[in-house]
Amino acid sequence: MSAAPDADAALDPSTRANLEAILAVARELPSAEDAGVGGRNAAVLGQIAELAADIERVLDVADGFERLEAPAPPPRIAVLCGSTTDGGAADGTGAGYEGTLGDVDPDFEPILRAALPDGAVLVPYEEAIAAGDCVGALTVTHAHVSAALLEKLGPKLRVVSNYGVGVNHVDLEACARRGVKVGHTPGVLADATADLAWALLLACARRVPECDAYARSPAFVAYDNMAFLGCDVAGKTLGVVGMGSIGGEVARRALGFKMETLYFNRTRRPEAVERELKATWVPRLEDLLPRCDFVVVVCPLTPATAGLLGAATLPLMRDGSVLVNVSRGGVGRLDAAPRLRNNGRAPRDGRARGGEPRPGRRGRAPRPLL
């Protein structure tokens, strides 16, 4: 009886109870030495001791199988929905995103659940910080992930995943100190963002919002074929600030408009990419802006790009040119725009008395699109 019986599955409750009862009785018996017996009685006590050891090994093996067969608890994912009123910090600490952290929008929840592993549990913010047992956190609408929030989420946190590309609202250094990985979704929205950038560009060039508002207003009483002429896009010069995946798609769409494309980027793109997009690298933003009729900003918000377009650079743009910013708001200092209008560096406001739109002439828009 020196070898323990094999156990290839967890024990059923009845068998386990019987073995534990036998083991309890065996442990109550003294050893042959303690009992002061010899001969056949000593042999019987020795066999009982071996049986008890065998039962212990069987129970240990069964316990191991039960642990293996027990399903792992489902991963718990904290959902962080923030609200903010500015463009966030450019230093990677997430400063400026101190908004509220609430539950996920009910209409949005099915989309999140479809993207999660089977069995994963979405945990609202308040429950997540109360339990402190989430292994992941999903940020939606740029919730500020600070060092203090990481501490509240608890020691089990292993990853913060951003529902989007930019991560300037996440304290990357704090995550690195805690060994928390940070994920995002580069490339996923390149086409969609480029489409919207072009929608804004065309809407401004052809004055679509103003035309729509004017046509719906009481001021529209007669047809004027010279009103709201806007400006041509085809054959003009496009400047792209930030030639990443989105910037490349913006430039690709410019091919259909027979535009000359210039781009400003911290590093030059490969020659094959430049040939494909028919794009020319301009190493200095100050040299790009005066040459462009349209400028689309698609660079990330970093310490180097914070305030990139402001009082020092916006005056370099051509009169009547169009600026479309689809990056973070902190890249552009929009408070410079009123000064530019006052100095004649951009078209004046074109609203008539009472706030009704007034038709412009000769293709000049009443205000820049920023």
Side-chain angles (χ1 to χ4, degrees):
M1 299 181 64
S2 59
D6 291 335
D8 57 2
L11 296 173
D12 63 81
S14 176
T15 302
R16 172 179 286 277
N18 290 335
L19 290 175
E20 289 176 345
I22 294 172
L23 182 60
V25 173
R27 285 173 174 170
E28 294 293 328
L29 296 176
S31 65
E33 182 178 354
D34 291 340
V37 297
R40 187 171 181 176
N41 289 335
V44 171
L45 289 174
Q47 291 176 346
I48 292 175
E50 289 183 10
L51 176 61
D54 288 341
I55 293 175
E56 287 180 341
R57 283 191 286 271
V58 169
L59 293 174
D60 287 341
V61 171
D63 289 341
F65 274 99
E66 290 175 358
R67 285 192 295 271
L68 289 174
E69 293 175 357
R76 290 166 57 82
I77 311 297
V79 181
L80 311 178
C81 297
S83 61
T84 180
T85 57
D86 60 24
D91 57 6
T93 64
Y97 284 100
E98 302 287 357
T100 59
L101 290 169
D103 298 347
V104 64
D105 189 311
D107 295 334
F108 191 51
E109 186 172 345
I111 300 175
L112 295 182
R113 291 193 181 279
L116 292 175
D118 291 340
V121 178
L122 291 176
V123 183
Y125 167 70
E126 296 293 344
E127 180 183 340
I129 62 172
D133 61 353
C134 287
V135 297
L138 179 63
T139 66
V140 183
T141 64
H142 309 133
H144 176 203
V145 181
S146 62
L149 178 58
L150 293 173
E151 182 69 26
K152 290 180 180 179
L153 290 173
K156 293 185 177 181
L157 189 69
R158 292 293 177 266
V159 62
V160 172
S161 184
N162 181 52
Y163 192 83
V165 179
V167 292
N168 56 292
H169 55 290
V170 178
D171 190 332
L172 301 179
E173 292 184 0
C175 288
R177 288 194 300 268
R178 298 178 69 92
V180 175
K181 303 293 185 181
V182 178
H184 64 150
T185 58
V188 172
L189 296 175
D191 281 313
T193 306
D195 287 347
L196 288 173
W198 268 93
L200 292 171
L201 187 154
L202 292 171
C204 189
R206 291 302 179 182
R207 306 179 66 176
V208 174
E210 300 162 81
C211 293
D212 178 76
Y214 179 64
R216 296 171 187 272
S217 74
F220 179 43
V221 294
Y223 171 69
D224 184 352
N225 62 355
M226 297 300 292
F228 298 110
L229 288 179
C231 61
D232 289 334
V233 176
K236 296 297 182 68
T237 300
L238 171 68
V240 180
V241 179
M243 188 63 93
S245 59
I246 299 173
E249 293 305 321
V250 170
R252 192 183 310 280
R253 285 153 176 76
L255 295 173
F257 287 85
K258 299 171 288 186
M259 301 181 79
E260 177 189 8
T261 298
L262 311 176
Y263 75 94
F264 169 73
N265 204 57
R266 60 181 178 180
T267 57
R268 185 173 182 176
R269 299 301 304 274
E271 291 185 9
V273 175
E274 291 184 340
R275 287 195 301 270
E276 178 187 2
L277 300 177
K278 296 182 180 180
T280 302
W281 182 50
V282 180
R284 298 176 69 249
L285 181 64
E286 294 81 358
D287 296 330
L288 177 141
L289 294 177
R291 299 170 59 183
C292 297
D293 302 294
F294 301 90
V295 176
V296 178
V297 184
V298 288
C299 60
L301 177 60
T302 68
T305 63
L308 185 67
L309 292 156
T313 50
L314 287 177
L316 300 176
M317 296 183 65
R318 292 178 176 179
D319 290 348
S321 57
V322 173
L323 173 64
V324 177
N325 180 17
V326 290
S327 64
R328 292 287 189 263
V331 173
R333 297 302 186 205
L334 303 188
D335 54 354
R339 293 196 297 274
L340 295 180
R341 286 197 291 270
N342 293 338
N343 293 335
R345 297 293 299 166
R348 294 184 178 182
D349 193 345
R351 286 188 176 273
R353 289 184 182 179
E356 296 296 343
R358 184 182 64 211
R361 298 278 181 171
R362 302 302 178 190
R364 291 182 63 103
R367 65 181 63 78
L369 179 63
L370 299 174

